[in-house]
Amino acid sequence: MSETIRHIVRRAILELLADIGGRHNDAELKLLLQPMGHRVSGREIRADLQQLCDERLVALEAVGGYLIAEITEDGRDCAEGNLVAPGVYRHRVMR
């Protein structure tokens, strides 16, 4: 998958988290991205979540076999377009 698409998927993840209460697991996020046209593997979603964590846009917690992502204040700002972050598409992708 191209790096541009990865940036768009990361932005979509932040927007989803912001819209659905701020916290969700990797498997559900993968399912929620599919109707938006983002077909990603479990490996890709976990890598994207790790990238977002490295930029301090989400906090991650491993619970059982899942990776739980919780959006941070910077992540919300990025999802709202108030903060530009490396590796994340700059414009809204869900609306």
Side-chain angles (χ1 to χ4, degrees):
M1 190 174 289
S2 78
E3 194 58 28
T4 300
I5 299 298
R6 297 274 29 103
H7 291 198
I8 292 169
V9 169
R10 290 180 197 132
R11 175 63 185 253
I13 290 168
L14 289 175
E15 290 177 20
L16 275 171
L17 285 170
D19 287 349
I20 61 175
R23 183 176 168 92
H24 229 307
N25 70 61
D26 58 326
E28 285 295 318
L29 288 170
K30 178 183 166 189
L31 291 175
L32 291 169
L33 287 168
Q34 288 179 0
M36 298 168 53
H38 302 297
R39 300 225 179 269
V40 295
S41 69
R43 178 181 297 181
E44 289 170 326
I45 192 88
R46 287 186 295 277
D48 287 333
L49 288 172
Q50 186 58 57
Q51 171 71 26
L52 293 170
C53 181
D54 292 346
E55 295 298 330
R56 295 190 168 112
L57 303 174
V58 300
L60 297 178
E61 178 184 2
V63 177
Y66 297 101
L67 194 57
I68 308 298
E70 185 168 358
I71 197 165
T72 63
E73 183 177 343
D74 281 352
R76 283 191 188 281
D77 282 344
C78 191
E80 294 169 359
N82 299 324
L83 176 70
V84 176
V88 179
Y89 193 64
R90 185 176 202 153
H91 307 288
R92 285 197 69 82
V93 296
M94 289 181 50
R95 296 187 184 152

